[in-house]
Protein backbone atom coordinates (compact mmCIF):
# COMPACT_ATOMS: atom_id res chain seq x y z
CA UNK A 1 0.00 0.00 0.00
CA UNK A 2 1.48 3.30 -1.11
CA UNK A 3 1.23 6.54 0.85
CA UNK A 4 -1.01 9.38 -0.32
CA UNK A 5 1.95 11.75 -0.64
CA UNK A 6 3.87 9.37 -2.92
CA UNK A 7 0.77 8.73 -5.01
CA UNK A 8 0.26 12.48 -5.48
CA UNK A 9 3.87 12.84 -6.64
CA UNK A 10 3.52 9.87 -9.03
CA UNK A 11 0.22 11.25 -10.46
CA UNK A 12 -1.79 8.26 -9.24
CA UNK A 13 -3.95 10.68 -7.23
CA UNK A 14 -5.11 14.20 -8.02
CA UNK A 15 -6.89 16.94 -6.09
CA UNK A 16 -10.09 18.54 -7.34
CA UNK A 17 -11.04 22.21 -7.05
CA UNK A 18 -12.15 21.69 -3.44
CA UNK A 19 -8.84 19.95 -2.46
CA UNK A 20 -10.45 16.51 -2.22
CA UNK A 21 -8.34 13.51 -3.22
CA UNK A 22 -9.43 11.95 -6.52
CA UNK A 23 -8.30 8.68 -8.11
CA UNK A 24 -6.15 9.33 -11.18
CA UNK A 25 -7.64 6.42 -13.16
CA UNK A 26 -11.35 6.71 -12.31
CA UNK A 27 -11.68 10.44 -11.45
CA UNK A 28 -13.82 9.50 -8.44
CA UNK A 29 -13.37 11.04 -4.95
CA UNK A 30 -11.75 8.68 -2.46
CA UNK A 31 -13.57 7.21 0.52
CA UNK A 32 -12.04 6.96 3.98
CA UNK A 33 -11.71 3.87 6.16
CA UNK A 34 -10.82 5.07 9.65
CA UNK A 35 -9.65 2.61 12.30
CA UNK A 36 -9.65 4.35 15.72
CA UNK A 37 -6.88 2.07 17.06
CA UNK A 38 -4.48 2.85 14.22
CA UNK A 39 -2.48 5.99 13.47
CA UNK A 40 -3.11 5.73 9.74
CA UNK A 41 -6.18 6.37 7.65
CA UNK A 42 -6.82 4.22 4.58
CA UNK A 43 -8.14 6.03 1.51
CA UNK A 44 -9.98 3.78 -0.99
CA UNK A 45 -11.24 4.38 -4.53
CA UNK A 46 -14.89 3.22 -4.75
CA UNK A 47 -14.53 1.98 -8.35
CA UNK A 48 -11.12 0.31 -8.74
CA UNK A 49 -10.66 -0.53 -5.00
CA UNK A 50 -7.04 0.74 -4.87
CA UNK A 51 -5.88 1.77 -1.40
CA UNK A 52 -3.49 4.42 -0.10
CA UNK A 53 -2.45 5.12 3.49
CA UNK A 54 -2.38 8.53 5.13
CA UNK A 55 -0.81 9.25 8.51
CA UNK A 56 -3.06 11.28 10.81
Amino acid sequence: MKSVRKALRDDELDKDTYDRLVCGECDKPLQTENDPDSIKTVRVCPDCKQEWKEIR
Side-chain angles (χ1 to χ4, degrees):
M1 184 180 334
K2 209 176 217 184
S3 73
V4 170
R5 297 176 92 192
K6 283 185 181 180
L8 283 168
R9 278 185 264 152
D10 294 341
D11 291 330
E12 291 178 21
L13 294 178
D14 295 319
K15 287 192 174 186
D16 65 3
T17 54
Y18 299 107
D19 259 356
R20 293 179 295 212
L21 291 172
V22 177
C23 180
E25 293 180 21
C26 308
D27 290 328
K28 298 282 184 179
L30 300 183
Q31 297 177 343
T32 303
E33 292 180 359
N34 193 2
D35 183 13
D37 295 332
S38 178
I39 63 167
K40 68 180 180 183
T41 301
V42 177
R43 306 297 303 248
V44 180
C45 177
D47 285 350
C48 63
K49 303 298 183 202
Q50 289 187 20
E51 295 182 344
W52 298 273
K53 64 181 174 183
E54 183 175 39
I55 303 295
R56 289 187 252 160

